[in-house]
Amino acid sequence: MDDAMRQALFEGRAGRDEPLVAPDIADDSLLHVKLWGNPCWFSFRLNYLALHFNNPVYGFVQDRLGLLRPDFVVLWSLYLGGPSTLTDVVRSSGFPKNTLSRAASKVHQRGMIDREVDAADQRRVTLFLTDRGRQAVEEVKAEMIEQERRMLECLSPAERLSLSEILTKLVTASGQWPQSLGDGQADEGP
Amino acid sequence: MDDAMRQALFEGRAGRDEPLVAPDIADDSLLHVKLWGNPCWFSFRLNYLALHFNNPVYGFVQDRLGLLRPDFVVLWSLYLGGPSTLTDVVRSSGFPKNTLSRAASKVHQRGMIDREVDAADQRRVTLFLTDRGRQAVEEVKAEMIEQERRMLECLSPAERLSLSEILTKLVTASGQWPQSLGDGQADEGP
DNA sequence: TTTATTCGGTTCCATAGGGAACAAAAAACA
DNA sequence: TGTTTTTTGTTCCCTATGGAACCGAATAAA
């Protein structure tokens, strides 16, 4: 285990996970070192795991619905949050607004969402799912949940809870993290 | 909290994390529901956190080194794993091989890696960092580690250890997960 | 009121990037 | 030996993507 990794764990019984390496992963030595000898162990595993969710799920969405990831992000956002403005979707997803604007147009073309201009504020457009859009989401929702279930089934219920709590803490703290590095530029405007 | 989420946690004291929501996150209601009311709570948080690492870090890499993510992936892989073939880098990173081939050409152009054709097997090309390449990696390494440290500093040492162990379990199990959904196509060839 | 600024959203454009076809070398097979 | 198959890596080409400029509406300032 790398020094930086040991330090990142604050000396807390670091290295205990070495023997757990599965054979099919261990035999790829470069993957092995990137997973277990990486000073950025956290972010690499994060990306690695995210990849193993996103690739199958968005591949499936593409096959089944003919939608790209930003397209589906719009639908999923409206599905979870109800009628929302595009800016809401932007803020909650991290995608750039032009990308989501295009995506919204596309799912609108396909009759999956409807738009309603706010009478009070002519700029604001409220987006909401149509029946067809809701149906599209529900067509893939079960598989998404199932994929996540499969991913988590290697954990005990206690571990799942622990994971949920720890990720919660991280997400909650994320507001404090810098959005850009170097040059010490503050988050506040001038 | 959503039913599916409760189920995903296997009824284990689900919902306890609700009150932990930070004010600056809570005020964005759509983000709120996507974080706390999402049946795919795990994958969403995964992506959310990965984003908060990748955006600053690869933005910094771009500014400082003028390299894109795949470019840097090549350098980082060789830095961690020593001389490797392109296929090794592909397998350990999840990027498509043409993308990494292009990236390798680019960093080779810039004198950051060198290539050596295997005498025994004319197809295999071993890639390795030049001094300049190593220098480039080390120029940003500290900031990457620092960003990850900042992300993890909201956790107690025990939580960090727990997180490391849980992610280890997940990564170790990832070989068993399906690479594609629907149509029940097996991973084995015919 | 007039002017400047912010806000919500769209369009333009250059390019990153990934699927698929390809080439060459090695290995498997006949 | 000659022939197919697999492996390694590159090239072609099309499209998704996101930065920047833009537009109209609302709000703040003058």
Side-chain angles (χ1 to χ4, degrees), chain A residues 7-112:
Chain A
Q7 183 199 342
L9 284 166
F10 283 1
E11 305 295 343
R13 289 186 300 162
R16 263 188 73 216
D17 43 14
E18 286 282 4
L20 289 179
V21 180
D24 49 358
I25 287 183
D27 65 9
D28 184 334
S29 70
L30 187 49
L31 177 57
H32 184 270
V33 70
K34 284 172 85 171
L35 282 168
W36 316 117
N38 201 330
C40 292
W41 60 274
F42 176 58
S43 6
F44 185 82
R45 293 178 197 184
L46 219 53
N47 277 298
Y48 184 87
L49 294 172
L51 203 70
H52 281 79
F53 176 82
N54 295 336
N55 279 350
V57 162
Y58 289 111
F60 179 70
V61 166
Q62 170 74 283
D63 290 349
R64 187 66 71 97
L65 303 175
L67 296 181
L68 302 166
R69 187 168 169 190
D71 305 330
F72 188 74
V73 163
V74 171
L75 297 184
W76 188 250
S77 298
L78 300 179
Y79 181 80
L80 291 181
S84 313
T85 174
L86 184 68
T87 315
D88 294 333
V89 180
V90 168
R91 269 199 290 258
S92 75
S93 70
F95 279 86
K97 60 179 177 176
N98 52 359
T99 297
L100 291 177
S101 172
R102 220 180 306 114
S105 302
K106 180 167 163 188
V107 292
H108 184 233
Q109 296 288 333
R110 306 203 178 179
M112 291 168 164

